[in-house]
Amino acid sequence: MDQCWYHGNITRSRAEDLLSKVGKDGSFLVRASESIPSAYALCVLYRNCVYTYRILPDKENKLIVQASEGVPVKCFDSLEELIEFYKKENMGLVWHLKYPVPREEEEAADEPEEDADLVPTPPILPPRNILVTLPSSETKEVSSLLENSRVADVNKLSLSETLLQRLQYQDTSSVSDEHLKLIQDYLRVHIISDFEMVQTGSSNLPQLKKLLTLLCKGLFSEASRTLPSLESIQKVFEQQLHPGIHQRSQMLGEASPVNIVLKLNQLISLLSSIEEKVKTLLIEGPDSTHRRSLIPPVTFEVKADSLGIFSKIHLKVDVEMGKLIIKRAKDGPEDKFYTHKKILQLIKSQKVPNKLVILLETEKEKTQRKEYVFSDSKKREGFCQLLQQMKNKHSEQPEPDMITIFIGTWNMGAATPPKKITSWFLSKGQGKTRDDTADYIPHDIYVIGTQEDPQGEKEWLETLRQSLQEITSISFKVIAIHTLWNIRIVVLAKPEHENRISHICTDNVKTGIANTLGNKGAVGVSFMFNGTSFGFVNSHLTSGSEKKHRRNQNYTSILRFLTLGDKKLSPFNITHRFTHLFWLGDLNYRVEQPPTEAENIIQKIRQQQYPELLAFDQLLIERKDQKVFLQFEEEEITFAPTYRFERGTREKYAYTKQKATGMKYNLPSWCDRVLWKSYPMVHVVCQSYGCTTDIMTSDHSPVFATFEVGVTSQFVSKNDSKYTDSQGEIEFLHCYATLKTKSQTKFYIEFHSSCLEGFVKSQEGENEDGNEGELVVKFVDALPKLTPIISDPEYLLDQHILISIKSSDSDESYGEGCIALRIEATESLVPIHAVLTHHGEKTGVFQGEIKLQTSQGKQREKLYDFVKIERDEIAGQKPKNISNLEPSKDWDQTNSSSTPTDISNPNYLGMAAFSQQPSATSQLKQIPSPDQPPSPWSYEQQPKETTSVMGQSQSSSTSPSLSPLSPKPTLQPTVNRSICSRSQEYLPPELGKTTAEPVPQEEGQQKPEMFENPLYGSMGCKGKVASKKEQDYPKALRKEQPPLPDQSFHLTKSQEPESSKTSGKQPSPPFLVPTQRFRSYTCSGQSEEKNTGEKTQAKPKVTTSSENSAPLKKLVKPLRSEVSPSIQGQQNKPPLPSKSRAVLDMQNSKGRDYRDSSELPHSGKHRTEEGPVGRTTTP
């Protein structure tokens, strides 16, 4: 459609922006409807408001404008006719169409790939019969096309004869008469049909499939009969039986070519493995068949603290036997051992990164606390992972609470990979890596994404499976593989998980030239693991340092058009469809510096001054500006740029290339990344994030990331009386949505959840004017009560409610959000706050209160609660950052001593006190000028987390021999369960900051060596006042810690040293409760009720929301994108509920990990505030 007013798949919010820019009554445009695929939306501007009319096709494909009942409708043959009709006055629209809004000029098409000579050519596509209208000047081409079509007709006639003649030359004496007749019939008649299918561009050959099915009918049945026999032999020689394999082999299905190939592959695999298994058993004996696949005992040399006196002892972890053995000498006798049931808790010290406390149950059922100091934090992390593996392995739970996932991304540069790539899967190299003691622990799922992959699927699969077999002795099952040109994603899983994985879905989106070529784009895989949904996206975005806006467009296109997951969640894109979504690939975002800085960049990489370079990382900057990957997280980057290396070495970056147009610069950049987004208040911990240093066939280095994620069981039985005694109920009260829109329409809410029988639709809310460009929709009595299918808290508290705010006129979504049901105080009102997004943009907030009613009982303690963080008395404890420059947060850190939990994650907040938190955003506009020159870089400015427990270590992971450009030795960061609180994830840039600035060091503590940990910062900088060098640290590399919500004044730079103070009413306690085991989840207000006893005692008075908001009226009006939902529409805002004590406590506490909190949703399972040792329950 060539009309200038037709904008195709432009988003609703973008359409509103374009109309607002014109600003004239009668301005209009037409776009594709977001709710109905074949419909259109006519958008008209009148009095600075946008009115949307849906244009629907009727049964005869005529177009009508949807109208209210009783209003006569007029039919149109085309959009042009419809537009011309409504250009007349008084035709039923709010205003007649007058000023068409032209389409935006699209960015120039992608240039050829930088290394086009190395990129394999795309697959050859068959010709398509496309009818086009050509100008008269091209009549010669038309005649040539007609000539070609006549040749094609001749080919149709001669094809059968040619092939039949070839058949006659074959020796068919051994072919049965029945089969020979079938082949002749196909060649004589049916092949013409397949030929026509190919000519129209189809890859389907239905007639050939029928032929092969008939020819292989006997083979299929024989293979199906033989497989169970071979499987029985194989199982005799296996120690562990994988459930379901035998039953599946009995299911014959139809004898299609695909099923036949699967059967034959199974036969080949079984025949080749049986001989090896039998040979191994005869050599090693029946008891050692799987010795290699088991985790061998590992011994750690530690120092034990006894009354201040340290003595050297050895801890031996036997995962298979489920024992922890304590010995005085490494080869000496066992002094004492504890079974896995007697090991109650592992508690990591935050103050000392290599210290660990083990809680043990003695013979008299008493609790004993033992403290050990490891040689470095990596060893401590390896010990914790082995103990966690022991707990998981010997758990009596039928289904797992947690699994580990390996995610790898590699641009292969169109080169064949080396024979050995095991370092990739072992997370070895630079950055945050795993300790050698964890090498024997296989991950449950491996997700491998490649770009510019020159290999075929079968060849690459064989390489992956052999590499994993070599390091784990496990034959992993292929869950999914999907390829778009040379972009590929592979998902492998342990055999025991095969029956837990279901609803597998794959899809791809092309974003190459004109969004039709697959040289750039994305492939995706989704599936259910029991009751938890997973999504994985591997993307290759537009290349070129100057093409960041095009990359942003690629991201949005993938977000909108990649179809994965539950199709019933149609209002939601992939960012809301999955419990855990992982996005990996060559995102191609560059370090934005002029070419003259190339050698300076190389020098900084040699010195491992990564934070200074990351200040110019395009992805971090675009995320900070909320342009891409809104609400996603990324682990801290502590490894060298992964592009562009000289092939065959990791010692040199090849950043120049001579082209016909001149010199082309590709400055070293972090092109290859892994990000993730999970539902609020779910367990997800990034355990490693780095790149290899020994795989050098490509100009990119492979990147790895490993995660520990929580999963839920597939179902809970409804037959048990405890699930049916009392009916659960979910009730939303005093709710309202603040939307960024100029549309004039009514709105309703759709509630979606797997815990509901189906989606539930509310009545329309009442609109009120908010701040400029915003609309407040109040749902006072309009929200229905939701009835979950199961009311047992073991099930219900793990669930989430997805909400979509939809317009009544077009049924299009104006914002989607997620609310967690992990509520501690059931049957009481709990504040909620959820940020609303649509197509990757923030479109508003949803606030109110929720009341949850469950049946009797409580959740059991999860297996991942086994490892916790000790609450050391350290001031200024802050959660771990997502990356050096977390884009969704302010870069200027002015309040490094306090981390209010309620600001930590305002929109992912399942339950938090944001309904009472007015305009915290407007207090925080202290972003430094972009023109401000950076100050000298300092190692002491890097602590990603202010605690020394996150990522501080004394062991070297990147030796000079392995580092790119032979950098100085680095000290390996702790692979810690503590991660950034998702509570920081959804605020505007000014909110939810974590620290990049050191916190004060305790008196008497010695200043550490400068290079004690160059990747994560000095471990000893916790207590001392920032030095002059630290104060000069570039503003762009720091993150602002937001002030507490009840402050009634702006924090200025002169107040930074006193930033830990709240308002005068509440003095700061001598220390803040240290960070718990931070994971990506939002701390709820109710879960913080007992947080920081000192604070609750110091301020027992409950403050109302009006006291907080009053002084904010004098503040400078923030930008539209930064307006806090709480101050929108000061005059017409719905009444805000008073703050509860839990809310007030939450505002003055740190983002926390609910596993370490004594206020967890289920009292009785978690520790009291005095420390993790106590066994008392929370009242």
Side-chain angles (χ1 to χ4, degrees), residues 548-565:
K548 67 178 179 182
H549 299 301
R550 178 67 178 163
R551 284 188 279 276
N552 294 352
Q553 293 173 1
N554 292 166
Y555 164 77
T556 303
S557 297
I558 295 166
L559 202 64
R560 293 185 62 186
F561 303 117
L562 193 65
T563 305
L564 296 172

Side-chain angles (χ1 to χ4, degrees), residues 479-495:
I479 302 302
I481 180 169
H482 192 64
T483 305
L484 171 67
W485 284 27
N486 305 111
I487 309 171
R488 178 174 295 144
I489 188 169
V490 179
V491 180
L492 305 170
K494 284 182 177 179

Side-chain angles (χ1 to χ4, degrees), residues 630-681:
L630 182 67
Q631 302 175 332
F632 276 80
E633 301 181 44
E634 182 182 22
E635 181 58 44
E636 180 181 12
I637 294 177
T638 57
F639 50 91
T642 56
Y643 176 81
R644 178 179 184 250
F645 285 105
E646 187 174 291
R647 296 173 188 250
T649 179
R650 298 295 94 156
E651 298 294 323
K652 182 179 179 181
Y653 286 96
Y655 59 84
T656 60
K657 183 175 182 179
Q658 187 66 45
K659 305 190 93 175
T661 55
M663 186 67 72
K664 176 75 174 178
Y665 285 86
N666 290 298
L667 299 181
S669 299
W670 288 273
C671 291
D672 311 283
R673 312 285 273 268
V674 177
L675 300 95
W676 79 94
K677 178 180 181 292
S678 297
Y679 280 171
M681 302 183 73

Side-chain angles (χ1 to χ4, degrees), residues 838-1014:
H838 187 62
H839 293 326
E841 302 177 36
K842 180 178 177 181
T843 58
V845 292
F846 179 76
Q847 301 178 83
E849 294 177 309
I850 187 173
K851 181 179 179 181
L852 179 64
Q853 178 180 329
T854 67
S855 61
Q856 297 299 316
K858 60 182 181 180
Q859 274 194 322
R860 61 178 175 82
E861 190 163 351
K862 305 293 186 181
L863 288 171
Y864 47 73
D865 289 322
F866 176 60
V867 181
K868 298 193 178 185
I869 303 295
E870 187 172 34
R871 305 158 195 243
D872 296 322
E873 299 182 2
I874 305 177
Q877 196 68 45
K878 287 183 270 305
K880 181 171 184 181
N881 212 349
I882 292 176
S883 66
N884 310 53
L885 300 170
E886 173 51 29
S888 63
K889 297 147 183 94
D890 194 350
W891 291 14
D892 184 11
Q893 177 179 347
T894 59
N895 189 2
S896 61
S897 300
S898 62
T899 311
T901 304
D902 58 339
I903 295 188
S904 296
N905 185 5
N907 69 315
Y908 232 37
L909 201 58
M911 309 54 247
F914 281 88
S915 57
Q916 354 272 342
Q917 182 183 323
S919 155
T921 310
S922 60
Q923 298 183 1
L924 299 170
K925 285 300 295 176
Q926 301 177 26
I927 304 177
S929 167
D931 301 328
Q932 179 178 347
S935 302
W937 185 88
S938 168
Y939 275 104
E940 297 180 339
Q941 297 303 323
Q942 287 190 56
K944 168 83 175 157
E945 56 233 358
T946 53
T947 78
S948 57
V949 68
M950 314 292 179
Q952 291 168 342
S953 168
Q954 300 157 342
S955 70
S956 173
S957 72
T958 309
S959 66
S961 62
L962 292 178
S963 302
L965 313 179
S966 299
K968 298 173 218 171
T970 64
L971 299 176
Q972 174 58 33
T974 301
V975 182
N976 204 298
R977 293 169 180 267
S978 302
I979 66 173
C980 86
S981 165
R982 189 173 347 359
S983 56
Q984 314 182 45
E985 178 177 275
Y986 299 176
L987 281 178
E990 295 77 16
L991 298 181
K993 275 290 93 173
T994 50
T995 160
E997 217 177 6
V999 290
Q1001 180 174 345
E1002 297 177 4
E1003 292 187 15
Q1005 187 171 354
Q1006 293 182 349
K1007 180 179 179 180
E1009 291 288 327
M1010 180 176 182
F1011 293 96
E1012 188 170 1
N1013 192 341

Side-chain angles (χ1 to χ4, degrees), residues 807-827:
S807 64
S808 300
D809 57 6
S810 63
D811 293 323
E812 292 181 329
S813 178
Y814 277 58
E816 305 91 52
C818 182
I819 299 171
L821 296 184
R822 187 174 292 276
I823 300 175
E824 175 190 7
T826 56
E827 301 191 21

Side-chain angles (χ1 to χ4, degrees), residues 705-726:
T706 59
F707 297 87
E708 179 185 284
V709 299
V711 293
T712 59
S713 59
Q714 190 166 6
F715 62 89
V716 179
S717 173
K718 299 176 69 173
N719 298 326
D720 196 317
S721 61
K722 73 175 182 177
Y723 303 122
T724 56
D725 284 345
S726 61

